[in-house]
């Protein structure tokens, strides 16, 4: 199976900060990479698909980049509602989908 | 509005069986890539199973031979039959739809909790 490794596992930031979360795949996955946000007690919500495409309705302060094995999710000008856990997901193998372990974004 | 709604979770003893249901609204399950994703308490997301529009099914290794994903087109519902349940199957089970070339899960249910314990 393709392993997805996120870093950091957690980070603290302040409202207005710019943050970057990294996701590394254990093999080349092209652009078969999606990003999700999950808040406590809620289902995940897709933010970015195909590594860099913004899902409809998602604020433009969220952006994604990368291809191959290394990917990043960037949030510019953090808002209070952005404090949540973020997951990457690969679908290069759509019959063996895997997620990263998650990055918890906390208020400093 | 497109919606998915899971039901069927509960407390079950190790070795027992449970069937989860996922009723879809404004989504035709037979035309979509429908999956179950689970999340153990305090842990991350784990993809469990998929049923393609054509009917093919696939599973994560840890549930192969124990879980079966299926659908009833007339009821527009997806199921997850879970047998030989183990403590490590304890989780919230989400039903979700995958779309696009990168299989992004764009619609999720609220989840149903399965607790395997004696």
């Amino acid at each position: 199976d393709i392993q997805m490794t996120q870093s950091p596992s957690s980070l603290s930031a302040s409202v207005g900060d710019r943050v970057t979360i990294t996701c590394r795949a254990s093999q080349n996955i092209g652009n078969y990479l999606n990003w999700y946000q999950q808040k406590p007690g809620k289902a995940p919500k897709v933010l970015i698909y195909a590594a860099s495409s913004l899902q409809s309705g998602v604020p433009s302060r969220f952006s994604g980049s990368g291809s191959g094995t290394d990917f990043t999710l960037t949030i510019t000008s953090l808002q209070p509602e952005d404090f949540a856990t973020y997951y990457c997901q690969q679908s290069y193998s759509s019959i063996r989908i895997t997620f990263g372990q998650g990055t918890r974004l906390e208020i400093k | 509005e497109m919606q998915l709604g899971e039901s069927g979770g509960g407390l079950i003893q190790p070795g027992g069986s449970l069937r989860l249901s996922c009723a879809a609204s404004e989504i035709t399950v037979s035309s979509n890539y429908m999956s179950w994703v689970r999340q153990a308490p305090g842990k991350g997301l784990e993809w469990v199973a998929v049923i393609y529009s054509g009917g093919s099914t696939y599973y994560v290794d840890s549930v192969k031979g124990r879980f079966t994903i299926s659908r009833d087109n007339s009821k527009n519902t997806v199921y997850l039959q879970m047998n030989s349940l183990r403590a490590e199957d304890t989780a919230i089970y989400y039903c979700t739809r995958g779309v696009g070339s990168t299989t992004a899960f764009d619609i999720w249910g609220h989840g149903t909790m399965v607790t395997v314990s004696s």
Side-chain angles (χ1 to χ4, degrees):
Chain A
D1 288 359
I2 299 172
Q3 306 302 315
M4 306 301 293
T5 303
Q6 289 181 232
S7 60
S9 295
S10 65
L11 75 155
S12 296
S14 300
V15 172
D17 284 354
R18 172 190 173 104
V19 300
T20 298
I21 299 168
T22 297
C23 180
R24 175 163 288 176
S26 60
Q27 67 179 70
N28 188 331
I29 61 169
N31 73 335
Y32 287 81
L33 191 284
N34 307 308
W35 288 98
Y36 299 84
Q37 176 193 67
Q38 187 180 32
K39 297 181 179 179
K42 300 293 186 181
K45 169 188 171 184
V46 62
L47 301 174
I48 302 288
Y49 64 94
S52 60
S53 296
L54 191 68
Q55 177 73 356
S56 176
V58 174
S60 59
R61 63 181 180 271
F62 292 92
S63 64
S65 65
S67 67
T69 59
D70 294 311
F71 303 86
T72 58
L73 173 70
T74 299
I75 313 171
T76 57
S77 189
L78 271 174
Q79 298 301 299
E81 60 268 29
D82 299 337
F83 292 94
T85 300
Y86 294 85
Y87 294 93
C88 62
Q89 170 235 328
Q90 70 78 22
S91 59
Y92 181 80
S93 173
S94 61
I95 64 173
R96 287 184 179 273
I97 284 177
T98 49
F99 290 88
Q101 81 279 15
T103 295
R104 185 174 178 181
L105 176 55
E106 300 174 317
I107 300 175
K108 185 182 290 184
Chain B
E1 181 185 358
M2 292 183 287
Q3 292 184 339
L4 297 169
E6 303 93 336
S7 60
L11 174 63
I12 188 76
Q13 291 189 341
S17 297
L18 212 54
R19 189 179 80 157
L20 306 183
S21 299
C22 169
S25 175
E26 302 297 323
I27 300 170
T28 303
V29 299
S30 62
S31 300
N32 281 279
Y33 175 112
M34 301 300 297
S35 265
W36 289 93
V37 172
R38 67 184 178 183
Q39 186 169 37
K43 302 298 184 182
L45 302 169
E46 180 182 40
W47 173 82
V48 174
V50 61
I51 182 164
Y52 277 84
S53 56
S56 298
T57 59
Y58 299 92
Y59 304 88
V60 68
D61 285 348
S62 60
V63 309
K64 276 182 187 174
R66 300 189 299 124
F67 289 13
T68 303
I69 188 172
S70 63
R71 69 186 181 216
D72 184 331
N73 296 343
S74 67
K75 295 182 179 178
N76 205 28
T77 298
V78 177
Y79 302 99
L80 187 67
Q81 177 67 44
M82 304 186 294
N83 299 330
S84 302
L85 282 161
R86 306 167 180 167
E88 54 265 35
D89 296 318
T90 294
I92 297 172
Y93 284 74
Y94 293 103
C95 176
T96 183
R97 178 183 79 161
V99 294
S101 61
T102 64
T103 316
F105 294 121
D106 68 333
I107 307 294
W108 295 70
H110 51 80
T112 187
M113 184 70 203
V114 173
T115 303
V116 184
S117 174
S118 55

